[in-house]
């Protein structure tokens, strides 16, 4: 599982992030997404960062509370790029979530 998370971090290169950050996240986009969260049926972890100027921690907390079977993690001293700003902490949270919530799913345990 750690190898999988390492690949996620490796694929988050600066060019990919530049493209992502250049995309608009309008209030209409957020409203449309909010109307769909009830459809999420898999375990979900929402990670928020205390110094994020793009996504507000309280909005992320509300998002997590609207998703069944979700968990919420707050990373201190990081902004929107927490996998780079706090890579060890981010990795630890993602690995913990995958071990605790993903690998225990019946999809993985019954096969």
């Amino acid at each position: 599982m750690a190898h999988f998370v390492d690949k996620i971090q490796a694929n988050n290169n600066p060019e990919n992030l530049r493209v992502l950050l250049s995309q608009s996240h309008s209030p209409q986009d957020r409203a449309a997404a909010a109307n769909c969260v009830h459809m999420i049926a898999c375990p979900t972890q929402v990670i928020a960062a205390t110094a994020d100027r793009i996504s507000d921690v309280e909005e992320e907390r509300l998002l997590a509370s609207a998703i069944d079977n979700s968990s919420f993690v707050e990373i201190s001293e990081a902004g929107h790029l927490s996998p780079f700003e706090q890579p060890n902490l981010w990795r630890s949270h993602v690995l913990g979530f995958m071990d605790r919530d993903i690998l225990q799913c019946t999809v993985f345990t019954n096969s």
Side-chain angles (χ1 to χ4, degrees), residues 39-60:
M39 297 167 34
I40 299 172
C42 60
T44 303
Q45 181 177 55
V46 176
I47 300 177
T50 58
D52 193 332
R53 292 181 287 160
I54 296 172
S55 299
D56 180 68
V57 171
E58 289 311 311
E59 285 181 10
E60 299 302 316

Side-chain angles (χ1 to χ4, degrees), residues 14-16 41 46 60 76 87 97 101 111:
E15 179 58 24
N16 290 347
V46 176
E60 299 302 316
S76 298
F97 166 72
D101 296 323
S111 43

Side-chain angles (χ1 to χ4, degrees), residues 6-14 16-17 84:
D6 291 340
K7 286 184 94 170
I8 291 172
Q9 283 185 297
N11 286 325
N12 283 328
N13 65 50
N16 290 347
L17 292 171
F84 296 103

Side-chain angles (χ1 to χ4, degrees), residues 11-27:
N11 286 325
N12 283 328
N13 65 50
E15 179 58 24
N16 290 347
L17 292 171
R18 187 193 62 73
V19 171
L20 176 66
L21 292 174
S22 69
Q23 297 171 349
S24 172
H25 298 286
S26 69

Side-chain angles (χ1 to χ4, degrees), residues 36-92:
C36 298
V37 296
H38 70 279
M39 297 167 34
I40 299 172
C42 60
T44 303
Q45 181 177 55
V46 176
I47 300 177
T50 58
D52 193 332
R53 292 181 287 160
I54 296 172
S55 299
D56 180 68
V57 171
E58 289 311 311
E59 285 181 10
E60 299 302 316
R61 191 183 311 278
L62 287 171
L63 174 64
S65 70
I67 301 171
D68 289 337
N69 198 19
S70 71
S71 60
F72 175 81
V73 173
E74 188 173 316
I75 296 180
S76 298
E77 299 180 20
H80 201 69
L81 303 177
S82 58
F84 296 103
E85 297 165 308
Q86 293 283 356
N88 294 333
L89 188 54
W90 180 89
R91 185 176 188 275
S92 174

